[in-house]
Amino acid sequence: MLIKPKPDLTYADVTPRGLYMGRRNFLLGALTTYGAVTAYKRLPSLFGGKAKGSVPVPIQGVQKWPGSTTEPVTPVEKVTHYNNFYEFGSDKSDPARNSGNFLTTPWSVSVEGECEKPRKYPIDEMMHLAPLEERIYRHRCVEGWSLVVPWIGYSLSTIVKLAQPTSKARYVAFESYYNSIVMPWATGTGIEFPYVEGLRLDEAMHPLTLLCFGMYGDTLYNQDGAPVRMILPWKYGYKSVKSLVKIRFVKSMPPTTWNNYAPNEYGFYSNVNPGVDTVPWSQAEEMRIGPGLGLFNAKIPTRLFNGYNEVASLYAGMNLRKYY
Ligand SMILES: Nc1nc2c(c(=O)[nH]1)N[C@H]1C(S)=C(S)[C@@H](COP(=O)(O)O)O[C@H]1N2
Ligand SMILES: [Mo]
């Protein structure tokens, strides 16, 4: 077999990008569709090499989004080695260590519920329903750390419009992939799976709400939610479900994972708000994980809506202390 990968083919998270780029660009040749790319990504498992899961590959033809923050971008090594993805364990270093065998192809996302056009979208098709944009967003975890990440995707509103929600649809429920065989680390983390989240329909329609397929020029790393995830830059990180498999239009406010776990601390809205603490954390400041040495760089003040003031009109007249 001509294109058999070496048995020591390693994951991008442990291989300097420059080293593996050369090889896979050679292997991929002129292939640019996601379908062709995912076919390649399956190969390691066929040959019983060490790498059994999916690895990031470059995404072609991505436009720059004009609204990107100009703050320094967090290095990819940090973003991919300091993660919350409880399906792969609750320690920050667990997802990078344990998600290597996660195979994300074939994959599809079911769009269903209160809508005229329910559909199951194969990931290859879903990825190209709108032009892909690189959007550099701030990304704030409720635990008090923040990142600046160049994500790749398009506004979720594209999918909402295609689905044509009925007049009964007031909320959108999201569900992550879960398989206890593939994700044995989930048991014992204290939360329930599959991981679920939700938005009000108007939040889901907001142009900032990103359906995300990639990061740093590549498809998503497994530990960051491959092959498709949500990114809600004005909300705490836990609202942004990883490895998305279901989008459901519903009449009433859907249950959400962290709200189920501790309703007094984690609300449905979970907008970043320096004035409302989340025990045991203060939300007044954040530790920006930046390009400097070490994880813990300078503390900076946290801003309401994580600085994304364009969403304020969604919450006009609402008491943000009550609707935390
Ligand atoms: N399915 C799933 N999605 C998830 C989580 C998780 O445990 N499972 N953790 C959330 C939390 S708490 C945060 S802060 C972000 C982290 O995203 P990142 O690792 O890409 O920075 O993912 C969110 N999405
Ligand atoms: Mo988080």
Side-chain angles (χ1 to χ4, degrees):
M1 177 55 82
L2 249 173
I3 52 170
K4 177 180 175 175
K6 290 182 186 161
D8 66 339
L9 179 71
T10 50
Y11 305 111
D13 59 80
V14 293
T15 306
R17 195 169 186 273
L19 288 181
Y20 67 82
M21 279 292 290
R23 180 171 62 232
R24 60 188 190 183
N25 278 345
F26 169 74
L27 290 169
L28 291 169
L31 303 177
T32 53
T33 71
Y34 197 74
V37 163
T38 51
Y40 163 72
K41 287 205 299 179
R42 285 188 69 101
L43 284 176
S45 66
L46 299 178
F47 297 104
K50 244 196 269 173
K52 293 200 167 63
S54 303
V55 295
V57 292
I59 302 182
Q60 315 290 335
V62 178
Q63 307 175 357
K64 300 265 180 234
W65 180 65
S68 286
T69 176
T70 54
E71 291 156 286
V73 168
T74 308
V76 65
E77 290 77 14
K78 292 179 181 176
V79 175
T80 54
H81 288 82
Y82 195 77
N83 301 99
N84 276 335
F85 197 170
Y86 274 38
E87 288 85 335
F88 293 107
S90 56
D91 196 271
K92 297 284 170 289
S93 59
D94 284 342
R97 191 174 26 247
N98 297 335
S99 66
N101 284 340
F102 188 33
L103 189 63
T104 57
T105 177
W107 193 278
S108 60
V109 179
S110 175
V111 179
E112 54 183 59
E114 288 292 346
C115 61
E116 302 293 344
K117 298 267 188 307
R119 251 210 79 184
K120 229 178 174 174
Y121 290 98
I123 188 74
D124 313 23
E125 183 188 339
M126 189 179 222
M127 193 172 175
H128 297 291
L129 292 173
L132 291 169
E133 291 172 330
E134 178 174 83
R135 300 191 187 183
I136 308 175
Y137 277 167
R138 290 181 289 279
H139 178 56
R140 170 71 157 79
C141 176
V142 74
E143 294 167 18
W145 42 275
S146 63
L147 311 163
V148 176
V149 181
W151 303 111
I152 296 170
Y154 56 75
S155 294
L156 181 73
S157 62
T158 296
I159 297 292
V160 176
K161 286 175 198 157
L162 285 170
Q164 300 176 20
T166 68
S167 58
K168 288 181 187 156
R170 291 184 54 226
Y171 294 87
V172 188
F174 301 92
E175 191 177 305
S176 285
Y177 175 86
Y178 180 58
N179 178 332
S180 62
I181 308 287
V182 178
M183 299 157 155
W185 307 273
T187 323
T189 52
I191 58 171
E192 284 171 32
F193 298 94
Y195 192 101
V196 290
E197 259 303 336
L199 292 173
R200 234 172 37 198
L201 186 59
D202 59 341
E203 296 180 308
M205 287 294 293
H206 195 279
L208 279 181
T209 299
L210 190 70
L211 187 65
C212 174
F213 299 89
M215 58 198 289
Y216 298 87
D218 290 345
T219 54
L220 285 168
Y221 288 62
N222 288 345
Q223 59 266 43
D224 288 276
V228 57
R229 68 174 298 179
M230 295 298 307
I231 295 289
L232 288 309
W234 73 97
K235 294 178 180 283
Y236 294 118
Y238 59 86
K239 294 293 290 181
S240 299
V241 307
K242 294 178 169 181
S243 302
L244 179 67
V245 292
K246 196 187 287 183
I247 298 174
R248 187 173 178 82
F249 297 94
V250 293
K251 290 175 210 166
S252 41
M253 190 179 276
T256 63
T257 294
W258 285 99
N259 181 261
N260 287 343
Y261 175 81
N264 293 334
E265 304 303 334
Y266 308 103
F268 178 80
Y269 288 94
S270 300
N271 294 321
V272 174
N273 188 340
V276 178
D277 286 344
T278 313
V279 175
W281 303 284
S282 159
Q283 300 303 345
E285 295 184 311
E286 66 201 60
M287 219 111 57
R288 174 62 54 83
I289 302 177
L293 288 174
L295 272 183
F296 299 108
N297 298 348
K299 276 203 164 189
I300 54 174
T302 287
R303 290 185 275 165
L304 182 63
F305 304 127
N306 204 20
Y308 293 97
N309 299 324
E310 56 267 55
V311 301
S313 59
L314 293 171
Y315 312 103
M318 275 173 67
N319 179 345
L320 297 177
R321 204 164 264 286
K322 184 172 173 206
Y323 299 102
Y324 55 95

